Amino acid sequence: QVQLVESGGGLVQAGGSLRLSCSASGRTFNDHTMAWFRQVAGKERELVAAIYWSSGNTYYGDSVEGRFTINRDYMKNIMYLQMNNLLHEDTAVYYCAGRSGIGIVRDSERFAYWGQGTQVTVSS
């Protein structure tokens, strides 16, 4: 079965950096879109960044573009989110997710595969 496992979250000061990792297993992910979402309690999950697994083409939400970088190790089925210049407003639970199909979809309901989430807390 498909399994996504995040790691790398933690506590960091504003202006600092973290790198999140998501190990994906259970199938090949060609023709899949993989993504990072984040969520604050009581709010809808927000698409942070997405990547087409095969081509490596990327998408970024407006709030993180220029600060975050999504990438993947195609051979190892690992997806990364490099987060630089972190802001207090980046504090959230970050989830990796995947769906079959190529194309940017903001709606989290379209993503079939989810990790357990990892907490990122940015102190002021």
Side-chain angles (χ1 to χ4, degrees):
Q1 62 181 23
V2 172
Q3 185 175 14
L4 305 178
V5 180
E6 303 103 328
S7 62
L11 175 66
V12 65
Q13 293 183 350
S17 298
L18 285 173
R19 188 178 75 161
L20 306 183
S21 299
C22 176
S23 295
S25 61
R27 66 170 299 158
T28 59
F29 293 93
N30 290 340
D31 300 321
H32 277 60
T33 302
M34 305 297 289
W36 290 96
F37 285 81
R38 66 187 181 186
Q39 186 172 31
V40 177
K43 297 184 179 180
E44 184 177 284
R45 288 189 181 184
E46 174 191 10
L47 177 63
V48 176
I51 187 167
Y52 299 161
W53 194 254
S54 294
S55 70
N57 290 341
T58 58
Y59 164 87
Y60 297 95
D62 290 343
S63 64
V64 306
E65 189 166 11
R67 299 188 296 121
F68 292 8
T69 302
I70 188 171
N71 201 1
R72 88 275 190 257
D73 187 324
Y74 184 84
M75 298 296 294
K76 295 183 177 181
N77 281 358
I78 302 174
M79 182 174 66
Y80 303 99
L81 184 68
Q82 178 66 48
M83 304 184 293
N84 297 324
N85 193 25
L86 282 161
L87 306 172
H88 180 67
E89 60 212 57
D90 294 316
T91 296
V93 177
Y94 284 71
Y95 298 88
C96 62
R99 73 175 188 92
S100 177
I102 302 300
I104 301 303
V105 177
R106 297 176 181 270
D107 189 353
S108 63
E109 294 181 354
R110 297 286 302 277
F111 287 78
Y113 313 130
W114 291 90
Q116 79 286 354
T118 185
Q119 176 71 46
V120 172
T121 302
V122 184
S123 62
S124 301

